Amino acid sequence: MQCPPIRGYGYNGRHGFQSRRRHCFRHRNMDAFFASIPPRTPSKRSPLPRPSLVNSIPNGASLRSVDHRNGFPENLSRNSSSKWKSDPIRYSKLSGTVKPPTIERNLECTLEELCYGCMKKVMITRDVLKLSGQIIQEDEILSVKVNPGWKKGTKVTFEGMGNESPGAYAADVTFVIAEKRHSLFRRVGDDLELTVEIPLVKALTGCSFPIPLLGGGTMNLEIDEIIGPGYQRVIKGQGMANKKEPGSRGNLNVSFLVNFPKDLTNEQRTAAVSVLGDSG
């Protein structure tokens, strides 16, 4: 017996981060500049701690921490102050050290990746503050560990791995999980939905056919009853992974689309009436 066709839900990249530049100015009369600054009272607010990476640190990536006292990287602390005497002194237009907005980027994952988990490597381009005060662009590869059961909208944040600029902390980078559309399955929570086309004769007489499963493979489904409107079969444990209950999965809900013939001969009509005329 031939298997009926499977109808799926028909669904039908490196994007760098936008560079952010801080406009700085150079004050030529330093004595007059510092004399114009009123004395500042000590602040009771403790400085914002250096962010740490929420997710795993990528291979080869370095976290560039910032000296909160002057807004420059730690390797520009008092031990290297002599080197800065010969370089131009730059003053940020920002008052104090601030945290710039988080950079967000979508990370598309297939249903298979969200069900079984995976490791995705993403390249970003970011502004890096050099020793001289110059800002250059560098490529970074970040590794995002996708856990089984994650859903769209899940956020993964790498603290301090975004753009660097004078007088500010390094920005955070957040990846927002997005689901790629699947050619066969549609996700509803922890369950999957699948639609199968079936001829009218098999809907009335029963049949047996293989059902595709997420991740590959098939499962033979036996139907010995009439398939009417709204008929559905539930295959337990073949849905998406449950994040709250490791090792468990949702269900695969199979719906049926009955293909009615477009036309019948007079003989077929007569036969259908004789067989189904008293069926109600």
PDB file of all heavy atoms in Angstrom, residues 151-189:
ATOM      1  N   LYS A 151      13.388  28.035  24.004  1.00  0.00           N
ATOM      2  CA  LYS A 151      12.340  28.544  23.131  1.00  0.00           C
ATOM      3  C   LYS A 151      12.764  29.882  22.547  1.00  0.00           C
ATOM      4  O   LYS A 151      13.723  30.511  23.006  1.00  0.00           O
ATOM      5  CB  LYS A 151      11.031  28.698  23.908  1.00  0.00           C
ATOM      6  CG  LYS A 151      10.512  27.399  24.507  1.00  0.00           C
ATOM      7  CD  LYS A 151       9.235  27.619  25.304  1.00  0.00           C
ATOM      8  CE  LYS A 151       8.735  26.317  25.916  1.00  0.00           C
ATOM      9  NZ  LYS A 151       7.521  26.517  26.723  1.00  0.00           N
ATOM     10  N   LYS A 152      12.033  30.310  21.534  1.00  0.00           N
ATOM     11  CA  LYS A 152      12.331  31.612  20.942  1.00  0.00           C
ATOM     12  C   LYS A 152      12.122  32.705  21.989  1.00  0.00           C
ATOM     13  O   LYS A 152      11.219  32.636  22.825  1.00  0.00           O
ATOM     14  CB  LYS A 152      11.444  31.865  19.724  1.00  0.00           C
ATOM     15  CG  LYS A 152       9.959  31.923  20.001  1.00  0.00           C
ATOM     16  CD  LYS A 152       9.184  32.169  18.717  1.00  0.00           C
ATOM     17  CE  LYS A 152       7.684  32.206  18.984  1.00  0.00           C
ATOM     18  NZ  LYS A 152       6.916  32.436  17.734  1.00  0.00           N
ATOM     19  N   GLY A 153      12.981  33.687  21.943  1.00  0.00           N
ATOM     20  CA  GLY A 153      12.939  34.763  22.936  1.00  0.00           C
ATOM     21  C   GLY A 153      13.915  34.567  24.073  1.00  0.00           C
ATOM     22  O   GLY A 153      14.180  35.511  24.834  1.00  0.00           O
ATOM     23  N   THR A 154      14.482  33.363  24.216  1.00  0.00           N
ATOM     24  CA  THR A 154      15.500  33.137  25.239  1.00  0.00           C
ATOM     25  C   THR A 154      16.715  34.019  24.942  1.00  0.00           C
ATOM     26  O   THR A 154      17.140  34.124  23.792  1.00  0.00           O
ATOM     27  CB  THR A 154      15.921  31.654  25.275  1.00  0.00           C
ATOM     28  OG1 THR A 154      14.762  30.855  25.551  1.00  0.00           O
ATOM     29  CG2 THR A 154      16.974  31.407  26.338  1.00  0.00           C
ATOM     30  N   LYS A 155      17.267  34.633  25.976  1.00  0.00           N
ATOM     31  CA  LYS A 155      18.390  35.564  25.781  1.00  0.00           C
ATOM     32  C   LYS A 155      19.658  35.033  26.437  1.00  0.00           C
ATOM     33  O   LYS A 155      19.619  34.500  27.540  1.00  0.00           O
ATOM     34  CB  LYS A 155      18.052  36.942  26.346  1.00  0.00           C
ATOM     35  CG  LYS A 155      16.927  37.651  25.598  1.00  0.00           C
ATOM     36  CD  LYS A 155      16.709  39.067  26.115  1.00  0.00           C
ATOM     37  CE  LYS A 155      15.646  39.779  25.296  1.00  0.00           C
ATOM     38  NZ  LYS A 155      15.453  41.188  25.744  1.00  0.00           N
ATOM     39  N   VAL A 156      20.762  35.192  25.707  1.00  0.00           N
ATOM     40  CA  VAL A 156      22.084  34.819  26.207  1.00  0.00           C
ATOM     41  C   VAL A 156      22.945  36.066  26.142  1.00  0.00           C
ATOM     42  O   VAL A 156      23.122  36.650  25.067  1.00  0.00           O
ATOM     43  CB  VAL A 156      22.716  33.695  25.358  1.00  0.00           C
ATOM     44  CG1 VAL A 156      24.048  33.271  25.961  1.00  0.00           C
ATOM     45  CG2 VAL A 156      21.781  32.509  25.255  1.00  0.00           C
ATOM     46  N   THR A 157      23.502  36.482  27.286  1.00  0.00           N
ATOM     47  CA  THR A 157      24.249  37.733  27.357  1.00  0.00           C
ATOM     48  C   THR A 157      25.722  37.483  27.633  1.00  0.00           C
ATOM     49  O   THR A 157      26.076  36.727  28.543  1.00  0.00           O
ATOM     50  CB  THR A 157      23.669  38.648  28.450  1.00  0.00           C
ATOM     51  OG1 THR A 157      22.313  38.991  28.104  1.00  0.00           O
ATOM     52  CG2 THR A 157      24.486  39.931  28.575  1.00  0.00           C
ATOM     53  N   PHE A 158      26.570  38.129  26.845  1.00  0.00           N
ATOM     54  CA  PHE A 158      28.014  38.166  27.082  1.00  0.00           C
ATOM     55  C   PHE A 158      28.330  39.566  27.597  1.00  0.00           C
ATOM     56  O   PHE A 158      28.283  40.537  26.840  1.00  0.00           O
ATOM     57  CB  PHE A 158      28.790  37.882  25.794  1.00  0.00           C
ATOM     58  CG  PHE A 158      28.674  36.470  25.304  1.00  0.00           C
ATOM     59  CD1 PHE A 158      27.570  36.054  24.578  1.00  0.00           C
ATOM     60  CD2 PHE A 158      29.672  35.551  25.564  1.00  0.00           C
ATOM     61  CE1 PHE A 158      27.458  34.750  24.116  1.00  0.00           C
ATOM     62  CE2 PHE A 158      29.577  34.237  25.111  1.00  0.00           C
ATOM     63  CZ  PHE A 158      28.470  33.840  24.390  1.00  0.00           C
ATOM     64  N   GLU A 159      28.648  39.668  28.879  1.00  0.00           N
ATOM     65  CA  GLU A 159      28.884  40.983  29.475  1.00  0.00           C
ATOM     66  C   GLU A 159      30.272  41.497  29.102  1.00  0.00           C
ATOM     67  O   GLU A 159      31.268  40.781  29.184  1.00  0.00           O
ATOM     68  CB  GLU A 159      28.730  40.910  30.990  1.00  0.00           C
ATOM     69  CG  GLU A 159      27.309  40.574  31.428  1.00  0.00           C
ATOM     70  CD  GLU A 159      27.130  40.684  32.923  1.00  0.00           C
ATOM     71  OE1 GLU A 159      28.156  40.774  33.621  1.00  0.00           O
ATOM     72  OE2 GLU A 159      25.982  40.674  33.383  1.00  0.00           O
ATOM     73  N   GLY A 160      30.312  42.754  28.695  1.00  0.00           N
ATOM     74  CA  GLY A 160      31.573  43.409  28.391  1.00  0.00           C
ATOM     75  C   GLY A 160      32.213  42.980  27.091  1.00  0.00           C
ATOM     76  O   GLY A 160      33.384  43.285  26.855  1.00  0.00           O
ATOM     77  N   MET A 161      31.480  42.291  26.218  1.00  0.00           N
ATOM     78  CA  MET A 161      32.051  41.835  24.954  1.00  0.00           C
ATOM     79  C   MET A 161      31.583  42.673  23.773  1.00  0.00           C
ATOM     80  O   MET A 161      31.769  42.296  22.628  1.00  0.00           O
ATOM     81  CB  MET A 161      31.689  40.371  24.718  1.00  0.00           C
ATOM     82  CG  MET A 161      32.362  39.412  25.686  1.00  0.00           C
ATOM     83  SD  MET A 161      34.159  39.515  25.643  1.00  0.00           S
ATOM     84  CE  MET A 161      34.498  38.887  24.015  1.00  0.00           C
ATOM     85  N   GLY A 162      30.991  43.842  24.053  1.00  0.00           N
ATOM     86  CA  GLY A 162      30.551  44.726  22.985  1.00  0.00           C
ATOM     87  C   GLY A 162      31.555  45.827  22.715  1.00  0.00           C
ATOM     88  O   GLY A 162      32.755  45.689  22.983  1.00  0.00           O
ATOM     89  N   ASN A 163      31.077  46.946  22.190  1.00  0.00           N
ATOM     90  CA  ASN A 163      31.947  48.052  21.826  1.00  0.00           C
ATOM     91  C   ASN A 163      32.577  48.700  23.055  1.00  0.00           C
ATOM     92  O   ASN A 163      31.938  48.835  24.099  1.00  0.00           O
ATOM     93  CB  ASN A 163      31.164  49.103  21.035  1.00  0.00           C
ATOM     94  CG  ASN A 163      30.697  48.587  19.694  1.00  0.00           C
ATOM     95  OD1 ASN A 163      31.365  47.754  19.091  1.00  0.00           O
ATOM     96  ND2 ASN A 163      29.556  49.062  19.232  1.00  0.00           N
ATOM     97  N   GLU A 164      33.832  49.114  22.902  1.00  0.00           N
ATOM     98  CA  GLU A 164      34.549  49.855  23.938  1.00  0.00           C
ATOM     99  C   GLU A 164      34.694  51.302  23.489  1.00  0.00           C
ATOM    100  O   GLU A 164      34.840  51.584  22.300  1.00  0.00           O
ATOM    101  CB  GLU A 164      35.929  49.243  24.177  1.00  0.00           C
ATOM    102  CG  GLU A 164      35.896  47.809  24.690  1.00  0.00           C
ATOM    103  CD  GLU A 164      37.287  47.217  24.863  1.00  0.00           C
ATOM    104  OE1 GLU A 164      38.256  47.892  24.456  1.00  0.00           O
ATOM    105  OE2 GLU A 164      37.395  46.101  25.391  1.00  0.00           O
ATOM    106  N   SER A 165      34.665  52.210  24.459  1.00  0.00           N
ATOM    107  CA  SER A 165      34.845  53.623  24.169  1.00  0.00           C
ATOM    108  C   SER A 165      35.372  54.313  25.418  1.00  0.00           C
ATOM    109  O   SER A 165      35.172  53.835  26.533  1.00  0.00           O
ATOM    110  CB  SER A 165      33.521  54.260  23.723  1.00  0.00           C
ATOM    111  OG  SER A 165      32.538  54.106  24.733  1.00  0.00           O
ATOM    112  N   PRO A 166      36.078  55.455  25.259  1.00  0.00           N
ATOM    113  CA  PRO A 166      36.627  56.156  26.429  1.00  0.00           C
ATOM    114  C   PRO A 166      35.515  56.615  27.353  1.00  0.00           C
ATOM    115  O   PRO A 166      34.454  57.041  26.926  1.00  0.00           O
ATOM    116  CB  PRO A 166      37.358  57.364  25.804  1.00  0.00           C
ATOM    117  CG  PRO A 166      37.596  56.977  24.377  1.00  0.00           C
ATOM    118  CD  PRO A 166      36.447  56.111  23.994  1.00  0.00           C
ATOM    119  N   GLY A 167      35.780  56.502  28.639  1.00  0.00           N
ATOM    120  CA  GLY A 167      34.841  57.007  29.630  1.00  0.00           C
ATOM    121  C   GLY A 167      33.605  56.164  29.814  1.00  0.00           C
ATOM    122  O   GLY A 167      32.617  56.624  30.372  1.00  0.00           O
ATOM    123  N   ALA A 168      33.613  54.911  29.363  1.00  0.00           N
ATOM    124  CA  ALA A 168      32.424  54.062  29.477  1.00  0.00           C
ATOM    125  C   ALA A 168      32.851  52.613  29.643  1.00  0.00           C
ATOM    126  O   ALA A 168      33.935  52.212  29.222  1.00  0.00           O
ATOM    127  CB  ALA A 168      31.523  54.209  28.257  1.00  0.00           C
ATOM    128  N   TYR A 169      31.982  51.841  30.276  1.00  0.00           N
ATOM    129  CA  TYR A 169      32.204  50.410  30.318  1.00  0.00           C
ATOM    130  C   TYR A 169      32.014  49.830  28.930  1.00  0.00           C
ATOM    131  O   TYR A 169      31.342  50.420  28.087  1.00  0.00           O
ATOM    132  CB  TYR A 169      31.213  49.741  31.278  1.00  0.00           C
ATOM    133  CG  TYR A 169      31.368  50.132  32.728  1.00  0.00           C
ATOM    134  CD1 TYR A 169      30.484  51.015  33.330  1.00  0.00           C
ATOM    135  CD2 TYR A 169      32.393  49.599  33.492  1.00  0.00           C
ATOM    136  CE1 TYR A 169      30.615  51.370  34.659  1.00  0.00           C
ATOM    137  CE2 TYR A 169      32.532  49.943  34.828  1.00  0.00           C
ATOM    138  CZ  TYR A 169      31.648  50.831  35.400  1.00  0.00           C
ATOM    139  OH  TYR A 169      31.788  51.172  36.705  1.00  0.00           O
ATOM    140  N   ALA A 170      32.576  48.666  28.686  1.00  0.00           N
ATOM    141  CA  ALA A 170      32.321  47.971  27.425  1.00  0.00           C
ATOM    142  C   ALA A 170      30.869  47.512  27.398  1.00  0.00           C
ATOM    143  O   ALA A 170      30.319  47.072  28.402  1.00  0.00           O
ATOM    144  CB  ALA A 170      33.262  46.781  27.268  1.00  0.00           C
ATOM    145  N   ALA A 171      30.238  47.620  26.244  1.00  0.00           N
ATOM    146  CA  ALA A 171      28.835  47.234  26.113  1.00  0.00           C
ATOM    147  C   ALA A 171      28.670  45.711  26.214  1.00  0.00           C
ATOM    148  O   ALA A 171      29.601  44.955  25.957  1.00  0.00           O
ATOM    149  CB  ALA A 171      28.282  47.725  24.772  1.00  0.00           C
ATOM    150  N   ASP A 172      27.478  45.298  26.614  1.00  0.00           N
ATOM    151  CA  ASP A 172      27.145  43.873  26.635  1.00  0.00           C
ATOM    152  C   ASP A 172      26.604  43.460  25.263  1.00  0.00           C
ATOM    153  O   ASP A 172      26.073  44.276  24.508  1.00  0.00           O
ATOM    154  CB  ASP A 172      26.086  43.578  27.700  1.00  0.00           C
ATOM    155  CG  ASP A 172      26.588  43.863  29.112  1.00  0.00           C
ATOM    156  OD1 ASP A 172      27.812  43.935  29.289  1.00  0.00           O
ATOM    157  OD2 ASP A 172      25.738  44.012  30.017  1.00  0.00           O
ATOM    158  N   VAL A 173      26.743  42.184  24.969  1.00  0.00           N
ATOM    159  CA  VAL A 173      26.199  41.613  23.744  1.00  0.00           C
ATOM    160  C   VAL A 173      25.180  40.547  24.126  1.00  0.00           C
ATOM    161  O   VAL A 173      25.497  39.640  24.891  1.00  0.00           O
ATOM    162  CB  VAL A 173      27.298  40.990  22.863  1.00  0.00           C
ATOM    163  CG1 VAL A 173      26.691  40.376  21.607  1.00  0.00           C
ATOM    164  CG2 VAL A 173      28.346  42.031  22.486  1.00  0.00           C
ATOM    165  N   THR A 174      23.965  40.678  23.620  1.00  0.00           N
ATOM    166  CA  THR A 174      22.902  39.729  23.931  1.00  0.00           C
ATOM    167  C   THR A 174      22.400  39.073  22.646  1.00  0.00           C
ATOM    168  O   THR A 174      22.065  39.766  21.686  1.00  0.00           O
ATOM    169  CB  THR A 174      21.723  40.426  24.644  1.00  0.00           C
ATOM    170  OG1 THR A 174      22.163  40.895  25.922  1.00  0.00           O
ATOM    171  CG2 THR A 174      20.567  39.452  24.847  1.00  0.00           C
ATOM    172  N   PHE A 175      22.359  37.740  22.659  1.00  0.00           N
ATOM    173  CA  PHE A 175      21.788  36.987  21.541  1.00  0.00           C
ATOM    174  C   PHE A 175      20.377  36.555  21.938  1.00  0.00           C
ATOM    175  O   PHE A 175      20.168  35.998  23.016  1.00  0.00           O
ATOM    176  CB  PHE A 175      22.644  35.764  21.222  1.00  0.00           C
ATOM    177  CG  PHE A 175      24.003  36.113  20.676  1.00  0.00           C
ATOM    178  CD1 PHE A 175      25.123  36.066  21.493  1.00  0.00           C
ATOM    179  CD2 PHE A 175      24.151  36.495  19.352  1.00  0.00           C
ATOM    180  CE1 PHE A 175      26.369  36.397  20.997  1.00  0.00           C
ATOM    181  CE2 PHE A 175      25.393  36.820  18.850  1.00  0.00           C
ATOM    182  CZ  PHE A 175      26.514  36.769  19.666  1.00  0.00           C
ATOM    183  N   VAL A 176      19.425  36.820  21.048  1.00  0.00           N
ATOM    184  CA  VAL A 176      18.029  36.454  21.272  1.00  0.00           C
ATOM    185  C   VAL A 176      17.710  35.261  20.372  1.00  0.00           C
ATOM    186  O   VAL A 176      17.840  35.336  19.142  1.00  0.00           O
ATOM    187  CB  VAL A 176      17.078  37.621  20.960  1.00  0.00           C
ATOM    188  CG1 VAL A 176      15.637  37.234  21.273  1.00  0.00           C
ATOM    189  CG2 VAL A 176      17.487  38.867  21.765  1.00  0.00           C
ATOM    190  N   ILE A 177      17.295  34.146  20.992  1.00  0.00           N
ATOM    191  CA  ILE A 177      17.028  32.930  20.233  1.00  0.00           C
ATOM    192  C   ILE A 177      15.789  33.107  19.358  1.00  0.00           C
ATOM    193  O   ILE A 177      14.742  33.560  19.812  1.00  0.00           O
ATOM    194  CB  ILE A 177      16.820  31.728  21.180  1.00  0.00           C
ATOM    195  CG1 ILE A 177      18.093  31.487  22.016  1.00  0.00           C
ATOM    196  CG2 ILE A 177      16.453  30.471  20.394  1.00  0.00           C
ATOM    197  CD1 ILE A 177      19.321  31.141  21.206  1.00  0.00           C
ATOM    198  N   ALA A 178      15.936  32.752  18.090  1.00  0.00           N
ATOM    199  CA  ALA A 178      14.826  32.771  17.132  1.00  0.00           C
ATOM    200  C   ALA A 178      14.700  31.378  16.511  1.00  0.00           C
ATOM    201  O   ALA A 178      15.701  30.706  16.281  1.00  0.00           O
ATOM    202  CB  ALA A 178      15.055  33.819  16.040  1.00  0.00           C
ATOM    203  N   GLU A 179      13.459  30.947  16.258  1.00  0.00           N
ATOM    204  CA  GLU A 179      13.211  29.627  15.690  1.00  0.00           C
ATOM    205  C   GLU A 179      13.116  29.702  14.168  1.00  0.00           C
ATOM    206  O   GLU A 179      12.360  30.509  13.620  1.00  0.00           O
ATOM    207  CB  GLU A 179      11.898  29.037  16.227  1.00  0.00           C
ATOM    208  CG  GLU A 179      11.949  28.615  17.687  1.00  0.00           C
ATOM    209  CD  GLU A 179      10.638  28.001  18.139  1.00  0.00           C
ATOM    210  OE1 GLU A 179       9.716  27.882  17.307  1.00  0.00           O
ATOM    211  OE2 GLU A 179      10.526  27.644  19.321  1.00  0.00           O
ATOM    212  N   LYS A 180      13.879  28.867  13.501  1.00  0.00           N
ATOM    213  CA  LYS A 180      13.719  28.733  12.058  1.00  0.00           C
ATOM    214  C   LYS A 180      12.477  27.899  11.769  1.00  0.00           C
ATOM    215  O   LYS A 180      12.208  26.918  12.463  1.00  0.00           O
ATOM    216  CB  LYS A 180      14.950  28.050  11.447  1.00  0.00           C
ATOM    217  CG  LYS A 180      16.190  28.914  11.396  1.00  0.00           C
ATOM    218  CD  LYS A 180      17.304  28.175  10.671  1.00  0.00           C
ATOM    219  CE  LYS A 180      18.554  29.029  10.582  1.00  0.00           C
ATOM    220  NZ  LYS A 180      19.655  28.304   9.883  1.00  0.00           N
ATOM    221  N   ARG A 181      11.763  28.266  10.739  1.00  0.00           N
ATOM    222  CA  ARG A 181      10.571  27.503  10.375  1.00  0.00           C
ATOM    223  C   ARG A 181      10.972  26.155   9.794  1.00  0.00           C
ATOM    224  O   ARG A 181      11.923  26.053   9.017  1.00  0.00           O
ATOM    225  CB  ARG A 181       9.729  28.284   9.368  1.00  0.00           C
ATOM    226  CG  ARG A 181       9.005  29.456  10.024  1.00  0.00           C
ATOM    227  CD  ARG A 181       8.003  30.061   9.071  1.00  0.00           C
ATOM    228  NE  ARG A 181       6.985  30.817   9.783  1.00  0.00           N
ATOM    229  CZ  ARG A 181       5.925  31.369   9.198  1.00  0.00           C
ATOM    230  NH1 ARG A 181       5.760  31.231   7.892  1.00  0.00           N
ATOM    231  NH2 ARG A 181       5.045  32.034   9.906  1.00  0.00           N
ATOM    232  N   HIS A 182      10.234  25.142  10.183  1.00  0.00           N
ATOM    233  CA  HIS A 182      10.531  23.783   9.748  1.00  0.00           C
ATOM    234  C   HIS A 182       9.617  23.408   8.590  1.00  0.00           C
ATOM    235  O   HIS A 182       8.469  23.870   8.506  1.00  0.00           O
ATOM    236  CB  HIS A 182      10.343  22.805  10.914  1.00  0.00           C
ATOM    237  CG  HIS A 182      11.053  21.512  10.753  1.00  0.00           C
ATOM    238  ND1 HIS A 182      10.556  20.488   9.961  1.00  0.00           N
ATOM    239  CD2 HIS A 182      12.230  21.059  11.252  1.00  0.00           C
ATOM    240  CE1 HIS A 182      11.394  19.471   9.998  1.00  0.00           C
ATOM    241  NE2 HIS A 182      12.415  19.781  10.772  1.00  0.00           N
ATOM    242  N   SER A 183      10.105  22.561   7.699  1.00  0.00           N
ATOM    243  CA  SER A 183       9.324  22.176   6.526  1.00  0.00           C
ATOM    244  C   SER A 183       8.186  21.215   6.867  1.00  0.00           C
ATOM    245  O   SER A 183       7.231  21.091   6.096  1.00  0.00           O
ATOM    246  CB  SER A 183      10.236  21.534   5.472  1.00  0.00           C
ATOM    247  OG  SER A 183      10.871  20.378   6.010  1.00  0.00           O
ATOM    248  N   LEU A 184       8.253  20.529   7.994  1.00  0.00           N
ATOM    249  CA  LEU A 184       7.226  19.559   8.360  1.00  0.00           C
ATOM    250  C   LEU A 184       6.505  19.879   9.658  1.00  0.00           C
ATOM    251  O   LEU A 184       5.293  19.715   9.769  1.00  0.00           O
ATOM    252  CB  LEU A 184       7.845  18.151   8.469  1.00  0.00           C
ATOM    253  CG  LEU A 184       8.374  17.513   7.189  1.00  0.00           C
ATOM    254  CD1 LEU A 184       9.013  16.163   7.520  1.00  0.00           C
ATOM    255  CD2 LEU A 184       7.266  17.342   6.163  1.00  0.00           C
ATOM    256  N   PHE A 185       7.254  20.312  10.657  1.00  0.00           N
ATOM    257  CA  PHE A 185       6.708  20.434  12.005  1.00  0.00           C
ATOM    258  C   PHE A 185       6.474  21.891  12.382  1.00  0.00           C
ATOM    259  O   PHE A 185       7.159  22.799  11.907  1.00  0.00           O
ATOM    260  CB  PHE A 185       7.648  19.786  13.026  1.00  0.00           C
ATOM    261  CG  PHE A 185       7.951  18.346  12.743  1.00  0.00           C
ATOM    262  CD1 PHE A 185       9.142  17.972  12.132  1.00  0.00           C
ATOM    263  CD2 PHE A 185       7.045  17.347  13.077  1.00  0.00           C
ATOM    264  CE1 PHE A 185       9.422  16.652  11.864  1.00  0.00           C
ATOM    265  CE2 PHE A 185       7.312  16.022  12.815  1.00  0.00           C
ATOM    266  CZ  PHE A 185       8.504  15.668  12.207  1.00  0.00           C
ATOM    267  N   ARG A 186       5.521  22.062  13.280  1.00  0.00           N
ATOM    268  CA  ARG A 186       5.277  23.371  13.893  1.00  0.00           C
ATOM    269  C   ARG A 186       5.288  23.187  15.403  1.00  0.00           C
ATOM    270  O   ARG A 186       4.665  22.260  15.927  1.00  0.00           O
ATOM    271  CB  ARG A 186       3.939  23.963  13.440  1.00  0.00           C
ATOM    272  CG  ARG A 186       3.704  25.387  13.956  1.00  0.00           C
ATOM    273  CD  ARG A 186       2.530  26.009  13.218  1.00  0.00           C
ATOM    274  NE  ARG A 186       1.267  25.371  13.593  1.00  0.00           N
ATOM    275  CZ  ARG A 186       0.465  25.841  14.535  1.00  0.00           C
ATOM    276  NH1 ARG A 186       0.798  26.926  15.233  1.00  0.00           N
ATOM    277  NH2 ARG A 186      -0.670  25.237  14.805  1.00  0.00           N
ATOM    278  N   ARG A 187       5.974  24.081  16.079  1.00  0.00           N
ATOM    279  CA  ARG A 187       6.115  23.948  17.527  1.00  0.00           C
ATOM    280  C   ARG A 187       5.003  24.703  18.249  1.00  0.00           C
ATOM    281  O   ARG A 187       4.707  25.858  17.928  1.00  0.00           O
ATOM    282  CB  ARG A 187       7.471  24.493  17.978  1.00  0.00           C
ATOM    283  CG  ARG A 187       7.713  24.352  19.478  1.00  0.00           C
ATOM    284  CD  ARG A 187       9.086  24.865  19.858  1.00  0.00           C
ATOM    285  NE  ARG A 187       9.386  24.609  21.248  1.00  0.00           N
ATOM    286  CZ  ARG A 187      10.561  24.897  21.822  1.00  0.00           C
ATOM    287  NH1 ARG A 187      11.528  25.432  21.098  1.00  0.00           N
ATOM    288  NH2 ARG A 187      10.760  24.632  23.103  1.00  0.00           N
ATOM    289  N   VAL A 188       4.420  24.045  19.235  1.00  0.00           N
ATOM    290  CA  VAL A 188       3.442  24.679  20.122  1.00  0.00           C
ATOM    291  C   VAL A 188       3.852  24.318  21.548  1.00  0.00           C
ATOM    292  O   VAL A 188       3.535  23.234  22.039  1.00  0.00           O
ATOM    293  CB  VAL A 188       2.003  24.213  19.825  1.00  0.00           C
ATOM    294  CG1 VAL A 188       1.023  24.907  20.777  1.00  0.00           C
ATOM    295  CG2 VAL A 188       1.634  24.475  18.385  1.00  0.00           C
ATOM    296  N   GLY A 189       4.553  25.202  22.205  1.00  0.00           N
ATOM    297  CA  GLY A 189       5.068  24.896  23.539  1.00  0.00           C
ATOM    298  C   GLY A 189       6.093  23.786  23.461  1.00  0.00           C
ATOM    299  O   GLY A 189       7.089  23.880  22.742  1.00  0.00           O
TER     300      GLY A 189
END
